[in-house]
């Protein structure tokens, strides 16, 4: 089941930063927010291009007919002209200075802007979020469709949807700006009525299971300067996980002492030939080996499957154990050492605070960050302690760092 954090990662990684709002100053931004009412942004761009400048005093001196001529491509120009002038008159009470507006509490500011005739909730919140950098989430048609598509929230009430979004996400202006822009980008392709009705394949929001972490956790971890650098360099790293611990254990055994690419090939072949625990338990050792396994790995997997079938192992019990108990339990499985057990806790049980000194790639990442030729266990543990209680998430970024920063 996707959550709002997962969707944000998917959208950001697919579309990249949107650099919204597409305006050079607050006046242009506010006029654009008014003009986009009941039209598309291409028409707004045509209208904005007709403005010789966005100096508020010059715009206010234009006659209605002159202003109508400039905004005509955006449609509904007679009504929008009056709204633009009302907004500029309101802003004039603050001498057109954002620093003065910045002293006004968001609740009061929103009330003032909503009181301007021609300004509704969405336009008001666009102005608050993008012109005055207030942490308020914009609710539009695309957001409503997204929430409905993924069964998040069954309501069309603007305030209720806004409250839902702002209680589910960290209060962060840059996040709210980027998320709203990404939803619009996604909505233009995949949230139109035709795409929703025809069930067009969605290339962004797949059902791939990933290690789960929230934006709240990521923002907390970003306070660390090392993680701040990684997150801003790489964006949002997603690492595939397993919904069934059984398959994670099998993959951990297969992947020992071989490359990740080779492990993936053998694992896929194994799943094709042995799709169930029972099929493994009933197969001969030679048949299991035939997918590309060594004798010892084939034996370990077969013994593991038989223990599952005989109820000698209860992988679901691990969900109730603390990390140390879970590691001890997993290490009782033949073929599973401490490294494998930690990897399984990360990738199958979503344990978020695991440090894996036993992982060579992580040790190399720490050596590279700290510029040390070697790293001892105490040094490694002390280094990863700074990321607690999200050491698993830190590991994801360090793995990505060592694999891509050559």
């Amino acid at each position: 089941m996707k959550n709002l954090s997962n969707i944000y990662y998917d959208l950001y990684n697919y579309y990249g930063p949107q650099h919204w709002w597409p305006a050079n100053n607050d006046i242009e931004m506010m006029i654009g927010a008014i003009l986009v009412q009941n039209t598309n942004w291409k028409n707004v761009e045509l209208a904005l291009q007709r403005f010789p400048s966005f100096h508020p005093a010059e715009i206010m001196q234009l006659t209605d007919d002159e202003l109508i001529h400039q905004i005509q491509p955006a449609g509904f120009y007679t009504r929008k002209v009056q709204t633009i002038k009302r907004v500029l008159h309101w802003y004039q009470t603050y001498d057109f200075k954002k620093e003065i507006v910045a002293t006004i509490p968001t609740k009061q500011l929103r009330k003032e802007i909503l009181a301007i005739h021609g300004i509704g909730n969405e336009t008001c919140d666009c102005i608050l979020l993008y012109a005055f950098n207030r942490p308020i989430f914009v609710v539009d048609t695309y957001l409503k469709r997204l929430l409905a598509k993924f069964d998040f929230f069954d309501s069309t009430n603007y305030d209720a949807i806004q409250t839902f979004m702002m209680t589910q996400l960290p209060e962060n202006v840059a996040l709210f700006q980027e998320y709203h822009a990404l939803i619009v980008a996604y909505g233009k392709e995949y949230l139109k009525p035709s795409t929703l009705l025809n069930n067009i394949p969605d290339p962004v929001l797949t059902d791939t299971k990933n290690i789960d972490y929230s934006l709240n956790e990521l923002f907390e971890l970003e306070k660390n300067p090392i993680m701040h650098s990684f997150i801003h360099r790489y964006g949002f790293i997603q690492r595939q996980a397993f919904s069934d611990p059984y398959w994670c254990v099998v993959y951990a055994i297969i992947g020992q002492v071989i490359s990740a690419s080779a492990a993936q090939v053998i694992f896929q072949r194994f799943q094709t030939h042995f799709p169930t625990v029972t099929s493994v338990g009933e197969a001969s050792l030679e048949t299991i080996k035939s997918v590309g396994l060594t004798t010892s790995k084939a034996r370990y997997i077969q013994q593991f499957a038989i223990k599952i079938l005989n109820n000698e192992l209860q992988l679901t019990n691990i969900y109730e154990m603390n990390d140390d108990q879970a590691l001890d339990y997993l290490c009782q499985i033949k073929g599973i050492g401490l490294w494998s057990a930690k990897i399984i806790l990360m990738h199958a049980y979503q344990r978020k605070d695991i440090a894996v000194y036993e992982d060579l790639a992580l040790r190399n990442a720490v050596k590279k960050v700290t510029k040390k030729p070697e790293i001892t266990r105490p040094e490694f543990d002390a280094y990863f302690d700074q990321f607690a209680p999200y050491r698993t998430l830190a590991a994801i970024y360090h793995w990505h760092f060592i694999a891509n920063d050559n």
Side-chain angles (χ1 to χ4, degrees):
M1 176 67 180
K2 290 285 183 181
N3 60 41
L4 290 175
S5 295
N6 298 146
I7 288 177
Y8 182 71
Y9 306 144
D10 285 342
L11 293 176
Y12 188 92
N13 288 334
Y14 187 76
Y15 290 105
Q18 297 298 291
H19 306 293
W20 265 36
W21 188 281
N24 294 317
N25 57 52
D26 51 350
I27 301 297
E28 183 181 357
M29 185 273 135
M30 287 190 280
I31 291 175
I34 294 167
L35 295 182
V36 81
Q37 294 173 356
N38 301 304
T39 191
N40 61 58
W41 186 253
K42 288 183 179 178
N43 293 334
V44 175
E45 285 182 323
L46 292 173
L48 292 174
Q49 289 168 7
R50 295 188 174 200
F51 282 78
S53 80
F54 288 96
H55 191 283
E58 293 179 9
I59 296 173
M60 291 175 71
Q61 287 175 2
L62 295 173
T63 66
D64 286 1
D65 287 342
E66 289 172 329
L67 192 49
I68 283 173
H69 174 73
Q70 291 186 194
I71 71 168
Q72 199 165 18
F76 299 91
Y77 37 82
T78 302
R79 187 183 72 196
K80 291 178 181 179
V81 158
Q82 299 307 314
T83 303
I84 289 171
K85 288 195 169 183
R86 292 188 195 103
V87 168
L88 291 177
H89 279 294
W90 165 81
Y91 199 16
Q92 189 178 35
T93 64
Y94 294 103
D95 295 328
F96 303 113
K97 293 181 178 178
K98 291 178 69 173
E99 60 268 27
I100 299 178
V101 176
T103 65
I104 309 301
T106 299
K107 188 174 181 179
Q108 177 184 334
L109 191 60
R110 189 171 192 267
K111 185 176 181 180
E112 288 184 17
I113 297 174
L114 280 175
I116 301 171
H117 184 66
I119 298 293
N121 285 317
E122 184 179 340
T123 304
C124 172
D125 291 337
C126 279
I127 291 171
L128 285 171
L129 178 62
Y130 292 102
F132 299 118
N133 295 315
R134 300 303 176 96
I136 193 159
F137 208 96
V138 178
V139 177
D140 61 10
T141 299
Y142 288 138
L143 173 60
K144 294 174 183 176
R145 290 175 182 170
L146 182 143
L147 294 177
K149 179 177 180 178
F150 294 99
D151 298 321
F152 280 114
F153 198 73
D154 186 17
S155 175
T156 57
N157 180 273
Y158 190 100
D159 292 336
I161 294 173
Q162 186 175 74
T163 299
F164 171 76
M165 294 298 293
M166 293 176 64
T167 55
Q168 296 296 308
L169 298 170
E171 186 179 287
N172 183 282
V173 171
L175 169 65
F176 288 1
Q177 290 173 339
E178 194 67 70
Y179 208 159
H180 172 238
L182 289 167
I183 289 171
V184 172
Y186 175 67
K188 289 176 181 178
E189 292 187 273
Y190 300 104
L191 293 174
K192 291 182 177 180
S194 58
T195 59
L196 292 170
L197 289 173
N198 296 329
N199 197 29
I200 292 176
D202 188 329
V204 182
L205 307 179
T206 66
D207 290 328
T208 302
K209 177 73 173 176
N210 294 306
I211 293 179
D212 190 27
Y213 59 91
S214 71
L215 282 163
N216 282 301
E217 293 164 341
L218 188 69
F219 276 47
E220 186 66 28
L221 193 53
E222 194 180 15
K223 295 175 183 177
N224 178 282
I226 295 171
M227 287 302 301
H228 179 87
S229 173
F230 282 169
I231 292 166
H232 280 257
R233 191 185 315 175
Y234 302 126
F236 304 99
I237 305 303
Q238 292 174 294
R239 189 174 177 89
Q240 192 166 346
F242 291 81
S243 55
D244 187 341
Y246 164 76
W247 287 115
C248 191
V249 173
V250 171
Y251 184 81
I253 295 172
I254 289 174
Q256 293 168 4
V257 203
I258 60 174
S259 69
S261 57
Q264 190 63 40
V265 170
I266 296 172
F267 179 65
Q268 291 175 351
R269 194 183 300 150
F270 183 92
Q271 285 187 305
T272 300
H273 285 79
F274 308 104
T276 65
V277 181
T278 302
S279 63
V280 178
E282 293 176 347
S284 68
L285 189 62
E286 290 302 315
T287 304
I288 297 173
K289 283 176 57 180
S290 68
V291 300
L293 294 171
T294 63
T295 301
S296 59
K297 287 183 180 181
R299 183 178 293 111
Y300 291 149
I301 292 174
Q302 185 183 55
Q303 291 174 348
F304 167 61
I306 290 171
K307 283 183 177 292
I308 294 288
L309 292 170
N310 292 339
N311 290 318
E312 296 175 40
L313 272 174
Q314 299 286 342
L315 295 180
T316 55
N317 291 347
I318 294 175
Y319 288 105
E320 307 301 323
M321 300 177 186
N322 63 36
D323 291 345
D324 289 337
Q325 291 169 333
L327 288 172
D328 289 341
Y329 192 83
L330 286 168
C331 285
Q332 294 176 29
I333 302 171
K334 287 188 177 181
I336 298 297
L338 192 55
W339 174 83
S340 298
K342 289 182 177 180
I343 296 299
I344 293 165
L345 285 187
M346 287 177 163
H347 294 79
Y349 293 97
Q350 300 286 348
R351 300 297 174 94
K352 296 182 178 180
D353 197 29
I354 303 294
V356 195
Y357 172 76
E358 297 76 14
D359 190 90
L360 178 60
L362 282 183
R363 294 203 302 275
N364 287 336
V366 175
K367 286 193 290 186
K368 192 165 186 176
V369 171
T370 60
K371 297 180 172 60
K372 290 185 176 182
E374 294 299 331
I375 192 82
T376 65
R377 175 62 181 264
E379 288 172 331
F380 180 94
D381 289 342
Y383 175 85
F384 261 87
D385 282 348
Q386 67 184 305
F387 308 121
Y390 305 117
R391 284 177 281 196
T392 296
L393 179 50
I396 293 172
Y397 276 83
H398 281 76
W399 272 317
H400 189 83
F401 162 69
I402 200 62
N404 294 277
D405 199 287
N406 296 317

